[in-house]
C-alpha cells in the first residue's frame, strides 16, 4: 500500500485477507470471551502489560523493531524522544515519539492521525450496530444525542497499527466545545476480524470524545478509542473546553493500541476506504 502524498511516513501496511472462519473465531475470542471480562479487569491487565514497555530493558527492542517494520532504515531520524528526553530510554518512548518538525500543508483540513482508513461512509448510509442486544447508531461512538450529527457528515475510522505514529492532532483551526470520557471495554481493534463492520470496537471501547468547532461554525467530532494494552489516553497541553486549537496542534497521545474516529462536515477528498493516511495530509 502506498501513501497518497510524499510526507514523512513509511506507508507499508498489509490489509490482511483473513478467511471468514478465522475472522469469526478472532471476533468470538475478542467480543464474546475477552469482551465479557469486566472492563476494570481488562484495564488492569492492559495497564500491567503496557508497563512492561516502560522498563529500561525494553529499549533493546527498538532497533530490531525498526529493521523488521520499516523499509526506511533512517525512519527514526524524523522523530525525537518524548517529554524533552535526550534519548529513547524504553520502547514506550519510541511508541510515543514526537515529530522533530510537523508536516507542513496549505490545506485548511488535514488528517489528524496516521494509519489505515478502515471505514469511510456518509452517516445517512451507515448501518445500525447491535452490541449485547442493544441497537446503536453512529451517535453512540461520539456520545451525542441521536440526529445531533447531520446526516450529510462523513464518518471515518483510522486504525493505528503498532508501528504507526500514535499522537492525534487537530484536523482544523477551531475551538474545543466539548470533551467527554466514555468508560468501556478494550476489545481487539484489528478491523479485518470484524467482517463488514470494522468500526465495531469504537461503539463499545473506552474513548475520549472531543468536539471542535471550526471557523465556519461547523463541528468536527473526534473519538479517540483505546484498545487492549492501552495503559492510558493522555490529552495534550491546554486541551480543554473553550480553548482554541490550531490545525495540527497535538490533541492526545496513546500509550499503545488505538483507533481514531471522526465525523466531519466534508468527505475525504483524496482517500478511500483501505488506504493509508498520514498526519497533516490534506483531508
Amino acid at each position: 500500500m502506498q501513501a497518497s502524498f510524499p510526507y514523512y511516513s513509511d506507508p507499508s501496511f498489509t490489509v490482511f485477507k483473513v478467511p471468514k472462519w478465522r475472522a469469526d473465531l478472532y471476533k468470538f475470542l475478542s467480543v464474546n470471551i475477552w469482551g465479557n471480562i469486566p472492563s476494570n479487569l481488562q484495564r488492569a491487565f492492559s495497564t500491567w502489560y503496557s508497563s512492561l514497555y516502560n522498563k529500561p530493558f525494553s529499549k533493546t527492542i527498538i532497533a530490531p523493531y525498526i529493521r523488521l517494520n520499516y523499509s526506511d532504515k533512517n525512519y527514526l531520524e524524523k522523530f525525537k524522544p518524548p517529554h524533552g528526553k535526550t534519548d529513547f530510554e524504553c520502547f514506550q518512548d519510541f511508541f510515543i515519539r514526537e515529530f522533530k518538525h510537523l508536516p507542513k500543508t496549505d490545506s485548511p483540513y488535514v488528517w489528524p492521525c496516521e494509519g489505515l482508513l478502515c471505514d469511510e461512509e456518509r452517516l445517512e448510509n451507515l448501518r445500525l450496530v447491535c452490541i449485547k442486544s442493544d441497537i446503536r447508531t453512529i451517535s453512540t461512538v461520539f456520545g451525542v444525542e441521536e440526529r445531533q450529527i447531520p446526516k450529510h457528515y462523513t464518518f471515518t475510522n483510522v486504525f493505528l497499527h503498532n508501528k504507526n505514529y500514535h499522537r492525534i492532532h487537530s484536523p482544523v483551526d477551531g475551538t474545543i466545545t466539548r470533551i467527554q470520557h466514555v468508560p468501556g471495554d478494550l476489545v481487539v481493534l484489528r478491523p479485518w476480524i470484524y467482517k463488514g463492520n470494522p468500526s465495531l470496537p469504537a461503539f463499545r471501547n473506552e474513548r475520549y470524545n472531543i468536539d471542535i468547532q471550526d471557523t465556519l461554525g461547523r463541528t468536527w467530532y473526534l473519538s479517540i478509542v483505546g484498545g487492549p494494552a492501552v495503559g492510558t489516553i493522555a490529552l495534550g497541553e491546554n486541551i480543554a473546553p473553550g480553548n482554541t486549537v490550531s490545525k495540527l496542534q497535538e490533541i492526545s497521545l496513546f500509550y499503545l493500541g488505538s483507533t481514531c474516529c471522526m465525523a466531519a462536515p466534508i468527505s475525504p477528498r483524496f482517500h478511500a476506504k483501505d488506504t493509508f493516511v498520514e498526519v497533516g495530509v490534506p483531508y
Side-chain angles (χ1 to χ4, degrees), residues 124-148:
E124 59 191 357
N125 298 328
L126 286 169
R127 295 181 298 172
L128 301 178
V129 173
C130 182
I131 305 291
K132 297 182 179 179
S133 301
D134 180 20
I135 301 299
R136 304 184 185 184
T137 64
I138 201 67
S139 61
T140 306
V141 173
F142 300 98
V144 297
E145 296 294 328
E146 185 64 25
R147 294 184 293 276
Q148 180 173 330

Side-chain angles (χ1 to χ4, degrees), residues 30 71 83 87 109 112 118 160 164 173 180 183 193 205-206 261:
S30 172
S71 59
H83 310 312
D87 190 19
Y109 317 118
C118 64
L160 284 67
N164 295 136
D173 293 330
Q180 175 193 41
I193 73 172
N205 277 16
E206 180 176 6
C261 296

Side-chain angles (χ1 to χ4, degrees), residues 60-78:
T60 60
I61 302 173
I62 297 175
Y65 188 86
I66 291 175
R67 287 195 299 270
L68 180 65
N69 288 281
Y70 304 93
S71 59
D72 179 3
K73 303 310 177 185
N74 297 316
Y75 173 80
L76 197 55
E77 293 183 5
K78 306 177 183 72

Side-chain angles (χ1 to χ4, degrees), residues 7-11 62 66 70 72-88 92-103 113-114 163-167 169 250 276 278-279:
Y7 279 159
Y8 64 88
S9 68
D10 186 333
I62 297 175
I66 291 175
Y70 304 93
D72 179 3
K73 303 310 177 185
N74 297 316
Y75 173 80
L76 197 55
E77 293 183 5
K78 306 177 183 72
F79 301 92
K80 61 183 179 181
H83 310 312
K85 295 183 179 181
T86 58
D87 190 19
F88 293 95
Q92 189 71 269
D93 284 350
F94 166 73
F95 195 84
I96 60 170
R97 56 196 178 274
E98 297 181 31
F99 276 114
K100 289 180 179 177
H101 306 286
L102 280 170
C113 58
E114 171 191 324
K163 66 173 283 185
N164 295 136
Y165 169 79
H166 269 70
R167 293 175 184 261
H169 296 257
E250 184 180 311
F276 184 82
E278 304 171 278
V279 174

Side-chain angles (χ1 to χ4, degrees), residues 225-282:
V225 184
V230 173
T232 187
I233 301 171
L235 297 181
E237 187 176 356
N238 297 321
I239 299 302
N243 287 356
T244 59
V245 289
S246 57
K247 180 184 63 179
L248 286 179
Q249 181 176 334
E250 184 180 311
I251 291 178
S252 70
L253 67 88
F254 288 102
Y255 290 84
L256 299 180
S258 50
T259 279
C260 181
C261 296
M262 186 163 66
I266 62 174
S267 298
R269 295 163 292 167
F270 308 105
H271 301 83
K273 185 176 177 178
D274 290 338
T275 59
F276 184 82
V277 301
E278 304 171 278
V279 174
V281 165

